[in-house]
PDB file of all heavy atoms in Angstrom:
ATOM      1  N   ALA A 200      13.166  15.331 -19.396  1.00 98.00           N
ATOM      2  CA  ALA A 200      13.669  14.161 -18.687  1.00 98.00           C
ATOM      3  C   ALA A 200      14.018  13.039 -19.649  1.00 98.00           C
ATOM      4  O   ALA A 200      13.312  12.791 -20.641  1.00 98.00           O
ATOM      5  CB  ALA A 200      12.648  13.681 -17.660  1.00 98.00           C
ATOM      6  N   THR A 201      15.095  12.340 -19.350  1.00 98.00           N
ATOM      7  CA  THR A 201      15.500  11.148 -20.082  1.00 98.00           C
ATOM      8  C   THR A 201      16.097  10.145 -19.113  1.00 98.00           C
ATOM      9  O   THR A 201      16.594  10.516 -18.044  1.00 98.00           O
ATOM     10  CB  THR A 201      16.561  11.475 -21.151  1.00 98.00           C
ATOM     11  OG1 THR A 201      17.711  12.056 -20.515  1.00 98.00           O
ATOM     12  CG2 THR A 201      16.020  12.441 -22.216  1.00 98.00           C
ATOM     13  N   PHE A 202      16.046   8.869 -19.502  1.00 98.00           N
ATOM     14  CA  PHE A 202      16.685   7.860 -18.672  1.00 98.00           C
ATOM     15  C   PHE A 202      18.217   8.015 -18.752  1.00 98.00           C
ATOM     16  O   PHE A 202      18.756   8.527 -19.733  1.00 98.00           O
ATOM     17  CB  PHE A 202      16.311   6.457 -19.159  1.00 98.00           C
ATOM     18  CG  PHE A 202      14.859   6.107 -18.956  1.00 98.00           C
ATOM     19  CD1 PHE A 202      14.037   5.845 -20.056  1.00 98.00           C
ATOM     20  CD2 PHE A 202      14.315   6.043 -17.693  1.00 98.00           C
ATOM     21  CE1 PHE A 202      12.701   5.526 -19.887  1.00 98.00           C
ATOM     22  CE2 PHE A 202      12.960   5.718 -17.512  1.00 98.00           C
ATOM     23  CZ  PHE A 202      12.161   5.468 -18.610  1.00 98.00           C
ATOM     24  N   ASN A 203      18.888   7.561 -17.707  1.00 97.00           N
ATOM     25  CA  ASN A 203      20.339   7.536 -17.687  1.00 97.00           C
ATOM     26  C   ASN A 203      20.832   6.781 -18.924  1.00 97.00           C
ATOM     27  O   ASN A 203      20.501   5.611 -19.128  1.00 97.00           O
ATOM     28  CB  ASN A 203      20.834   6.849 -16.403  1.00 97.00           C
ATOM     29  CG  ASN A 203      22.329   6.904 -16.246  1.00 97.00           C
ATOM     30  OD1 ASN A 203      23.080   6.908 -17.208  1.00 97.00           O
ATOM     31  ND2 ASN A 203      22.771   6.915 -14.996  1.00 97.00           N
ATOM     32  N   SER A 204      21.625   7.445 -19.749  1.00 96.00           N
ATOM     33  CA  SER A 204      22.039   6.847 -21.015  1.00 96.00           C
ATOM     34  C   SER A 204      22.831   5.553 -20.836  1.00 96.00           C
ATOM     35  O   SER A 204      22.907   4.732 -21.764  1.00 96.00           O
ATOM     36  CB  SER A 204      22.858   7.853 -21.824  1.00 96.00           C
ATOM     37  OG  SER A 204      24.010   8.242 -21.089  1.00 96.00           O
ATOM     38  N   THR A 205      23.407   5.353 -19.655  1.00 95.00           N
ATOM     39  CA  THR A 205      24.145   4.107 -19.380  1.00 95.00           C
ATOM     40  C   THR A 205      23.245   2.896 -19.573  1.00 95.00           C
ATOM     41  O   THR A 205      23.695   1.827 -19.972  1.00 95.00           O
ATOM     42  CB  THR A 205      24.702   4.121 -17.944  1.00 95.00           C
ATOM     43  OG1 THR A 205      25.521   5.253 -17.770  1.00 95.00           O
ATOM     44  CG2 THR A 205      25.468   2.850 -17.641  1.00 95.00           C
ATOM     45  N   PHE A 206      21.938   3.082 -19.289  1.00 96.00           N
ATOM     46  CA  PHE A 206      21.007   1.971 -19.329  1.00 96.00           C
ATOM     47  C   PHE A 206      20.083   2.005 -20.558  1.00 96.00           C
ATOM     48  O   PHE A 206      19.063   1.314 -20.573  1.00 96.00           O
ATOM     49  CB  PHE A 206      20.150   1.952 -18.056  1.00 96.00           C
ATOM     50  CG  PHE A 206      20.956   1.844 -16.797  1.00 96.00           C
ATOM     51  CD1 PHE A 206      20.972   2.882 -15.877  1.00 96.00           C
ATOM     52  CD2 PHE A 206      21.698   0.708 -16.513  1.00 96.00           C
ATOM     53  CE1 PHE A 206      21.708   2.800 -14.700  1.00 96.00           C
ATOM     54  CE2 PHE A 206      22.431   0.606 -15.352  1.00 96.00           C
ATOM     55  CZ  PHE A 206      22.445   1.646 -14.440  1.00 96.00           C
ATOM     56  N   ASN A 207      20.425   2.813 -21.556  1.00 96.00           N
ATOM     57  CA  ASN A 207      19.521   2.965 -22.694  1.00 96.00           C
ATOM     58  C   ASN A 207      19.182   1.650 -23.368  1.00 96.00           C
ATOM     59  O   ASN A 207      18.029   1.382 -23.729  1.00 96.00           O
ATOM     60  CB  ASN A 207      20.115   3.931 -23.728  1.00 96.00           C
ATOM     61  CG  ASN A 207      19.724   5.375 -23.443  1.00 96.00           C
ATOM     62  OD1 ASN A 207      18.977   5.650 -22.496  1.00 96.00           O
ATOM     63  ND2 ASN A 207      20.221   6.310 -24.239  1.00 96.00           N
TER      64      ASN A 207
END
Side-chain angles (χ1 to χ4, degrees):
T201 59
F202 293 117
N203 186 330
S204 60
T205 303
F206 301 115
N207 271 358

